[in-house]
Amino acid sequence: MSVQERTYIMIKPDGVQRNLVGKIIARFEERGYKLIALKMVQSTPEHLEKHYADLKGKPFFPGLIKYMASGPVVCMVWQGLDAVKTGRVMLGATNPLQSPIGSIRGDYCLAVGRNICHGSDSVESAEKEIALWFPDGVVQYTSAMESWIFE
Ligand code: RTP
């Protein structure tokens, strides 16, 4: 567990369409995580198949790719202590109906196939996903940059 730990969080097309971008960003900022990369993209089925390569063969895979390519997504990298595991807790369970109230999915959605956000499930997959979505790299944020806030 490291204060420099990074996780890849993506707001899915339904989260974007439902104007939940600001609320989701606010949750991570208020918790204390640092936003170190952010962009909105219209992804392609080919790119999404790489992102979800582990799920190829699942019956829901074609529908998942179609849903994820159906509109823009917001791609983010958040950094901070235990970012991967805590990010998943903040998202809630994959199935929103099993997500606790207070989690993003538990508060904002109902259906597993429309669960508004993605979060990396391990440090290793976070690094792979960051490289896939931000091939040019992300800023190196260090506590030295707190000088913008504190003397
Ligand atoms: P994600 O990667 O999106 O954060 O989701 P996850 O780890 O919680 O769940 P995963 O098993 O990796 O599934 C990826 C996404 O596929 C959709 N899904 N649909 N219809 C279904 O039974 C079903 N199961 C999974 C969900 O959008 C899930 O987030």
Side-chain angles (χ1 to χ4, degrees), residues 17 48 85 88 99 106 117-118 120-122:
Q17 296 292 333
L48 290 159
K85 205 167 84 197
R88 296 278 289 188
S99 299
C117 48
H118 159 83
S120 308
D121 62 7
S122 67

Side-chain angles (χ1 to χ4, degrees), residues 11 21-30 35 38 76 78:
I11 305 175
V21 174
K23 284 198 169 86
I24 293 170
I25 288 177
R27 285 182 180 228
F28 280 87
E29 283 197 322
E30 287 167 3
L35 183 61
L38 171 70
M76 301 179 284
W78 289 92

Side-chain angles (χ1 to χ4, degrees), residues 52-121:
Y52 280 126
D54 292 353
L55 299 176
K56 208 168 177 144
K58 298 272 185 195
F60 58 82
F61 186 77
L64 173 62
I65 299 299
K66 198 171 163 203
Y67 151 56
M68 290 297 297
S70 67
V73 294
V74 173
C75 311
M76 301 179 284
V77 182
W78 289 92
Q79 179 174 295
L81 192 65
D82 210 12
V84 169
K85 205 167 84 197
T86 309
R88 296 278 289 188
V89 172
M90 289 170 68
L91 258 56
T94 305
N95 184 345
L97 294 183
Q98 285 153 17
S99 299
I101 301 298
S103 67
I104 293 166
R105 289 169 177 157
D107 286 351
Y108 297 130
C109 57
L110 295 169
V112 69
R114 295 290 183 272
N115 61 1
I116 67 172
C117 48
H118 159 83
S120 308
D121 62 7

